[in-house]
Amino acid sequence: HTAKRFGEALNVLEELSKDEPVCFECLLSLAHTLSEVKNLERAKAVYKAAMDLRPYDPDALLNYYHTKQQVIDWEDRDVLFERLKNVTEQQLAQRHLTTVGPYYSLLSPFEQEQMLGIAESHATKAYDKIKYLLPYMPPTFGQELQGPLHRLRVGYVMADFRHHVTAHLLQTVFVRHDEERFEVFCYALNIDDRSAFRRRIKHSVGEDHFRELPFVPDDQVAGAINMDLVDVLIDTDYYKARLSILALRPAPVQVNFLAHPGTSGAQFVDHIVADKVVAPPDHALYFSESVLYMSHHYQVNDHRVSYPHDPARTAAEIRREEGLPEDGFVFCNFNGLYKIEPEAFELWVRIMERVPRSVLWLVNENNESN
């Protein structure tokens, strides 16, 4: 499973779990593998079997809870979350790394203070991973921004320069920077998937400003950023898996933006770009960063490029192609299904009951969603 040879892993683990039905580790590995190949209902059942053996194991508990979210199974959701919250509070009290990551904490009803604690525990891990390197970094690391600057150097770092929602949103942002005032660099931590999104971004900043850095260690990525004399480094990753790059302080100003609309919990990240819905001003004390508020919505979007309007297609044709009613009002939510909470769904239903012939249009992420 850890080698990502899922077909071989399934063959071995299925037989092993039959021979050793009370082997917790066998069941957990099997469930992880089933989840990777998107056999979610079976994964849910195997996580449940593992949970029956160890009801408070954090790994089994989190993955069972999340898999149920993916297939819109809300039965016992409150009971499971209460158990997950208690385990997380114990980990925070003991200053252990939380099993729940910062991104997944946003998808559940954790308190603001708990979400900050979760983020801080993962930021501490990122810092501890590289702190031994800090005395050996060149003096150009950890510098303050020097002004006045004629042209600001801005770097974007992420592992999603690919066919991925973050690249979809950002794809023409880079070309919209004023070239008289900004010089833009991209640091791609993922391999080239040869998608149109990656090509478009690479073309917009120029090949000499698009750094291909898959499988490159954190300190070397930080070195590349620092060598480019980046003034403002913008982290647009979901899971903050490479936060250690920023922990080395390769740029004077470091910013959290877009994919993870919550705090990084890191003292080495200076700002987060948000809006007053995502980060209400009275929640600012639960952000380790200072909050930079956009006047409207913090999230950029590029639907005009991703899905250009075809004037030859009528609304009636589009509705027919998508299986929508010809004249009813269409409510939409194109988030991942695992982000939908029962309280929100109940509210949507109450609204729809007051709008005759209305429908709700959702993303069909998998065939096992309820």
Side-chain angles (χ1 to χ4, degrees), residues 4-114:
K4 298 190 181 300
R5 291 155 60 180
F6 302 123
E8 296 174 46
L10 277 177
N11 292 334
V12 173
L13 292 168
E14 289 280 14
E15 292 301 317
L16 199 56
S17 63
K18 290 176 186 175
D19 295 338
E20 302 286 346
V22 293
C23 173
F24 172 80
E25 289 78 9
C26 303
L27 290 171
L28 193 61
S29 292
L30 174 59
H32 287 339
T33 307
L34 289 164
S35 181
E36 290 284 359
V37 299
K38 301 302 180 187
N39 189 343
L40 297 179
E41 281 293 346
R42 177 100 167 89
K44 184 181 74 170
V46 179
Y47 279 129
K48 177 64 168 61
M51 286 272 296
D52 289 342
L53 295 175
R54 295 188 192 173
Y56 288 91
D57 180 84
D59 194 2
L61 180 56
L62 172 62
N63 282 284
Y64 180 51
Y65 177 80
H66 180 59
T67 304
K68 282 169 68 71
Q69 283 184 295
Q70 288 180 292
V71 296
I72 321 299
D73 178 357
W74 293 326
E75 186 176 358
D76 296 328
R77 182 178 186 270
D78 292 343
V79 174
L80 285 169
F81 175 71
E82 193 64 27
R83 200 183 296 178
L84 183 61
K85 185 176 77 169
N86 290 339
V87 168
T88 302
E89 286 175 344
Q90 290 174 15
Q91 291 174 329
L92 290 172
Q94 295 166 359
R95 297 185 181 277
H96 291 169
L97 179 71
T98 59
T99 306
V100 177
Y103 178 68
Y104 284 111
S105 75
L106 299 178
L107 307 175
S108 300
F110 283 100
E111 300 292 333
Q112 292 289 322
E113 188 173 357
Q114 293 166 335

Side-chain angles (χ1 to χ4, degrees), residues 143-145 230-234 249 251-255 270-271:
Q143 296 292 311
E144 293 186 3
L145 191 62
V230 167
D231 301 304
V232 179
L233 180 62
I234 301 175
R249 271 284 181 188
V253 177
Q254 302 189 148
V255 181
D270 305 296
H271 309 290

Side-chain angles (χ1 to χ4, degrees), residues 317-358:
E317 287 175 330
I318 296 171
R319 283 172 174 258
R320 190 163 50 251
E321 289 169 10
E322 300 294 344
L324 298 169
E326 291 184 8
D327 58 353
F329 189 91
V330 180
F331 293 98
C332 305
N333 188 297
F334 296 150
N335 274 296
L337 296 175
Y338 64 91
K339 298 179 183 179
I340 299 174
E341 296 189 330
E343 296 81 6
F345 193 79
E346 182 182 351
L347 179 61
W348 296 350
V349 171
R350 280 164 38 204
I351 293 170
M352 291 174 65
E353 285 173 344
R354 299 172 65 177
V355 182
R357 300 189 310 280
S358 63

